[in-house]
């Protein structure tokens, strides 16, 4: 079964064809990131205007070598996201489903990030791709707007365990990078400069907020403030940027990994899956994989390019969930979250 997945929740426009929830037939992503760079963050109005501009070219490109008759259903991310951006994808998908007379499936964007882990993508990774996450599992979603831990018994049953009480993980990467005068998005910048801190020994200490709170919530604003205060202090010089980036990254990764491991243990999870833009972080990948193998959990990360927003993850989630919606009434839901949240 082939599903066309459409993603337009924020500043990326994605369209992809995925077969049986895992095989990538085509995937096209356009991003307004370059335009947002000069503002140091996403400006909703710019994001929405770009969505309008590129949605048809992106769809056309994803369908280039494909006969629309071979598509069995259309999936679209209905939220959470920016209302102007969301409306573009949702209304386009509705129009296509109506015109082509195909079933329409609305997808929670956050579950899309989880289902990126079911996608086969890179041929070189064939061996790894033969493995699939097994239930019950714990999912960590770490993106620019969200940080959530989810327990999934199977494809249909999931419950929210906890999330951030303030800033999302990606958002703190972006803000800390900005404080140090690094570029946007901050995550890849922090990762890049942190690699230059070779000794990994420092007298500076940043907090690991809520590390031992005993629940599955997060709070990162204290860490962000601690880094900002240090950067503004007399002790800071620009040559300390790699050290600060490394220490900050270490703090945030340790909290994310410790809480995910605790959730997996308490729920007897077989697998741990990670998704969202911050899942592209190499330090998070290596610490999570090491801890997972230590504690006997199979750890999954999507390919780096499938960690950031794309249409393929929406098509994959739709195949496994298959909640058919009515094309004439499906709505964008900017505040969509998890049902038990
Ligand atoms: O999932 P995503 O593409 O968009 C949202 O749904 O929000 O996530 C974007 C976030 C940004 O905050 C960006 O700084 C972060 O993911 N990010 C990273 C890395 N690559 C992207 N954070 C840490 N390390 C990275 N390598
Ligand atoms: Zn996302």
């Amino acid at each position: 079964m082939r599903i066309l997945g459409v993603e337009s929740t924020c500043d990326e426009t994605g369209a992809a064809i995925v077969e049986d929830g895992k095989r990538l037939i085509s995937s096209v992503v356009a991003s307004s990131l370059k335009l947002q760079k000069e503002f140091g963050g996403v400006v909703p109005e710019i994001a929405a205007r770009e969505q309008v501009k590129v949605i048809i070219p992106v769809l056309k490109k994803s369908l280039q070598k494909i006969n629309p008759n071979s598509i069995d259903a259309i999936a679209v991310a209905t939220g959470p996201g920016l209302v102007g951006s969301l409306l573009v994808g949702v209304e386009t998908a509705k129009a296509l489903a109506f015109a082509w007379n195909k079933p329409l499936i609305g997808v929670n964007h956050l579950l899309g990030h989880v289902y990126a882990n079911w996608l086969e993508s890179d041929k070189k990774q064939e061996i790894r791709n033969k493995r699939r996450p097994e239930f019950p599992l714990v999912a960590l979603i770490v993106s620019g707007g969200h940080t959530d831990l989810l327990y999934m018994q199977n494809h249909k049953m999931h419950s929210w365990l906890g999330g951030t009480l303030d800033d999302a993980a990606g958002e703190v990467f972006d803000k800390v990078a900005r404080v140090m005068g690094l570029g946007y998005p901050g995550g890849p910048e922090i990762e890049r400069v942190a690699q230059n801190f070779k000794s990994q020994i420092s007298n500076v200490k940043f907090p690991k907020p809520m590390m031992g709170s005993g629940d599955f919530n997060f709070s990162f604003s204290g860490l962000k403030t601690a880094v900002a205060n240090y950067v503004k202090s007399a002790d800071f010089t620009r040559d300390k940027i790699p050290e600060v980036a490394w220490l900050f990254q270490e703090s945030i990764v340790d909290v994310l990994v410790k809480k995910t491991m605790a959730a997996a243990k308490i729920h007897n999870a077989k697998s741990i899956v990670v998704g969202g833009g911050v899942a592209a972080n190499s330090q998070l990948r290596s610490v999570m994989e090491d801890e997972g193998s230590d504690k006997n959990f199979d750890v999954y990360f999507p390919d780096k390019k499938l960690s950031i927003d794309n249409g393929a993850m929406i098509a994959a989630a739709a195949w496994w969930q298959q909640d058919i919606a009515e094309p004439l009434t499906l709505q964008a839901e900017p505040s969509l979250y998890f049902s038990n949240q």
Side-chain angles (χ1 to χ4, degrees):
M1 181 179 182
R2 282 183 171 188
I3 298 185
L4 164 63
V6 179
E7 156 63 36
S8 77
T9 57
C10 188
D11 57 344
E12 265 95 21
T13 316
I17 320 285
V18 174
E19 209 161 64
D20 297 342
K22 54 188 182 203
R23 214 158 305 115
L24 218 63
I25 307 294
S26 72
S27 178
V28 180
V29 179
S31 170
S32 58
L33 194 81
K34 283 206 182 106
L35 292 174
Q36 316 279 1
K37 259 183 205 285
E38 69 180 277
F39 302 98
V42 177
V43 181
E45 176 69 17
I46 295 179
R49 281 167 186 260
E50 284 305 301
Q51 294 283 357
V52 173
K53 247 193 236 167
V54 303
I55 187 96
I56 299 298
V58 165
L59 272 165
K60 251 178 133 170
K61 199 164 173 202
S62 74
L63 291 163
Q64 225 164 29
K65 293 179 193 134
I66 289 145
N67 180 347
N69 289 332
S70 73
I71 291 169
D72 301 291
I74 294 160
V76 63
T78 53
L82 303 170
V83 63
S85 293
L86 272 172
L87 281 170
V88 178
V90 170
E91 295 306 314
T92 308
K94 282 162 73 174
L96 272 180
F98 185 66
W100 287 351
N101 196 21
K102 308 274 183 196
L104 179 66
I105 303 166
V107 171
N108 180 331
H109 172 85
L110 299 172
L111 280 180
H113 277 306
V114 172
Y115 277 93
N117 284 286
W118 271 259
L119 287 166
E120 299 166 355
S121 54
D122 195 336
K123 287 224 167 63
K124 280 183 236 139
Q125 297 200 1
E126 259 168 50
I127 297 174
R128 201 199 75 177
N129 284 334
K130 288 206 174 105
R131 293 165 61 223
R132 287 271 164 272
E134 275 184 64
F135 294 105
L137 62 81
V138 161
L140 171 70
I141 302 158
V142 267
S143 70
H146 291 87
T147 305
D148 294 292
L149 272 169
L150 208 62
Y151 169 61
M152 294 177 75
Q153 273 164 283
N154 52 49
H155 287 294
K156 290 282 180 190
M157 289 169 73
H158 54 254
S159 53
W160 183 83
L161 300 176
T164 183
L165 303 177
D166 39 56
D167 294 1
E171 192 181 350
V172 209
F173 269 97
D174 295 338
K175 287 179 177 167
V176 163
R178 195 185 316 167
V179 167
M180 291 197 283
L182 303 172
Y184 175 83
E189 287 294 298
I190 298 265
E191 179 172 350
R192 184 179 59 80
V193 297
Q195 281 161 5
N196 298 328
F197 183 57
K198 306 273 187 238
S199 80
Q200 301 187 355
I201 300 165
S202 171
N203 293 324
V204 183
K205 288 251 170 308
F206 291 137
K208 296 182 179 175
M210 293 183 75
M211 184 95 151
S213 65
D215 59 15
F216 300 117
N217 289 325
F218 303 89
S219 164
F220 296 120
S221 75
L223 172 61
K224 176 189 70 184
T225 309
V227 177
N229 287 344
Y230 181 73
V231 169
K232 284 179 206 144
S233 76
D235 295 336
F236 179 77
T237 43
R238 290 205 66 79
D239 59 323
K240 290 203 170 138
I241 286 180
E243 180 178 345
V244 173
W246 191 87
L247 291 168
F248 159 73
Q249 186 175 257
E250 188 201 32
S251 285
I252 201 162
V253 164
D254 283 358
V255 176
L256 291 171
V257 172
K258 175 145 193 231
K259 296 236 166 180
T260 307
M261 292 297 151
K265 186 164 178 241
I266 215 164
H267 289 286
N268 282 321
K270 287 194 175 144
S271 310
I272 289 173
V273 305
V274 187
V278 183
N281 186 275
S282 307
Q283 177 78 3
L284 177 62
R285 286 176 178 246
S286 87
V287 178
M288 192 76 86
E289 272 158 11
D290 286 354
E291 287 281 314
S293 83
D294 231 42
K295 298 184 166 55
N296 251 334
F297 302 121
D298 271 338
V299 175
Y300 293 83
F301 279 84
D303 256 22
K304 287 196 177 180
K305 65 175 184 302
L306 294 169
S307 295
I308 54 161
D309 294 352
N310 63 83
M313 68 186 202
I314 304 303
W319 194 81
W320 297 99
Q321 310 264 308
Q322 305 214 354
D323 290 326
I324 308 292
E326 165 56 50
L328 295 180
T329 56
L330 185 80
Q331 299 273 357
E333 294 180 77
S335 316
L336 182 68
Y337 212 3
F338 296 107
S339 48
N340 72 322
Q341 189 279 325

